[in-house]
Amino acid sequence: MPIKSQGCAHTEEGGGVSTSKKTSLESNSDREDSPPPSDDLPRILRKRLLPRGYPLPSKFAGGIRLVNTFELCFGKLDGYNEEHTSIKLLALSVCRSIVSLASFKGRIRQFTCTGTIIEHTPPSMRILTSASLIRSSEEDGSKILDKLKIKVRLPSGKLVIGTLWKYDSYYNIAVVNIKASPELREACIHNQVPANVKLSQSKLVAIGRAFESGELMATGGTLLHGTTKFDCQQLMASTCKITKAGIGGLIVGSDGKFMGMSFYYKDGAPFLPFSILQKCLKHFNEFGRVVQLSLGLRIGSLQAEKLHVREQVHDSFPNAHGIYVQRVSDKSPAADSGIKVGDVITKIDKLELFNAQEFHELILDKPECILRHGEEMPFTVCVLRPNSNGHEFPATINAVIDSNEQNSWLVPKTKWLYPDDIRDADKMPLVRKRFKPDYTFPPLDGMDLHTEDSDEE
């Protein structure tokens, strides 16, 4: 169950820090029988940090802060304005479909995130969430941990055990099964919106749930045209400012329609469109995995490219639309077809393209034919090449299945910031209000040491 008096911290620029209780620690560094410096840490600190998988500070100094925790919430909706009211109503409309999950290795927590009930097939329910729940936090996070225990917190605060059903490392999605509960509702994810360039700048709402407190969270933002910093090309960008607790949560439109599943980035939550998610879930059911095709292409929506790129294309094709070829891998199906960096693909199998998501959706429909016929899958694209003769020409890409392709999905690690970490501190938001288990130590000037919590259970 949640910790007593549990709450969430909310990010707020320029805020100070308030503490709830005090603990004193007598300095004994001058004694001959003094223990190592690590033993000078309050016992409550080790008790709170280690089970959550958080590191102990490498040095004991005043003003240190623990940042990037899973307990930091988002979406401070205290106002009575129209925007905050509409965000709250959207979150409440799906609140019984939003849960939080945590993975454990033994007694040590590995990760927490948000999940959405996507299917109710008695006697069980399925939760869509991020595969970061089962990934290693080391290096690039590509390793999948085994023998994990998954706990799911329901909206009522009740904890239940979940079992991993399927996951995909490329799209970083996972599906967890739990026993059906009458308090939960299946989200109607079939009521989704296709990724369309005309939706740019439309209003979005990101929704999540914290694990320890069970708090429902929501914040507003807009859909962006641009690309994201992640490897996954299929992600769309938004300005929704979430925290790590919101990873795997819902992105919905202002009309309540589901747009996708969110991931974390400090400038705004990227999200995987539901049109892609639905095809992945179909692959899970039909093939037992998401079947990826190897093309050797990295693409982006032409409208989202930088101005100098748009100018190069515009000089040859003023009214061009489609996807821009950013990279072509050597000896790949795309390279063999004659496609080059700088080309613009306008059609695939006679279907017009307006953005990269449409291309990826169509590609996800191809593996079904390959698996049934046991051969490569050729498809034809129409290509515009700037600074050429100005004519469109066809190219045939012979796609093959690639079971090894995966993306890097880095998540900021929980760490301690020290008074001398000026550069890091400037990048981190100050926290106006902190609840356990986030910690802030004021400077030591002969006064007692203050922590956020000194209860001993």
Side-chain angles (χ1 to χ4, degrees), residues 104-121:
F104 294 82
K105 189 93 171 175
R107 295 186 176 183
I108 306 300
R109 191 180 70 186
Q110 303 295 311
F111 200 87
T112 80
C113 55
T114 298
T116 304
I117 305 295
I118 59 168
E119 186 176 329
H120 182 193
T121 307

Side-chain angles (χ1 to χ4, degrees), residues 10 22 104 136 149 157 203 246 272 332-333 361 376 418-420:
H10 291 266
K22 301 180 179 180
F104 294 82
S136 168
K149 184 176 184 179
K203 297 293 184 180
L272 191 63
S332 65
E361 291 170 25
E376 64 184 15
Y418 302 90
D420 55 347

Side-chain angles (χ1 to χ4, degrees), residues 279-280 282-294 363-378 399-403:
K279 294 181 184 297
C280 291
K282 181 180 178 182
H283 280 214
F284 281 154
N285 285 316
E286 294 185 1
F287 312 129
R289 61 188 176 97
V290 178
V291 182
Q292 290 293 334
L293 295 183
S294 175
I363 293 300
L364 275 173
D365 289 332
K366 301 295 182 182
E368 186 174 352
C369 299
I370 297 179
L371 291 176
R372 288 178 178 175
H373 298 91
E375 56 188 21
E376 64 184 15
M377 181 67 192
V400 295
I401 292 177
D402 183 2
S403 59

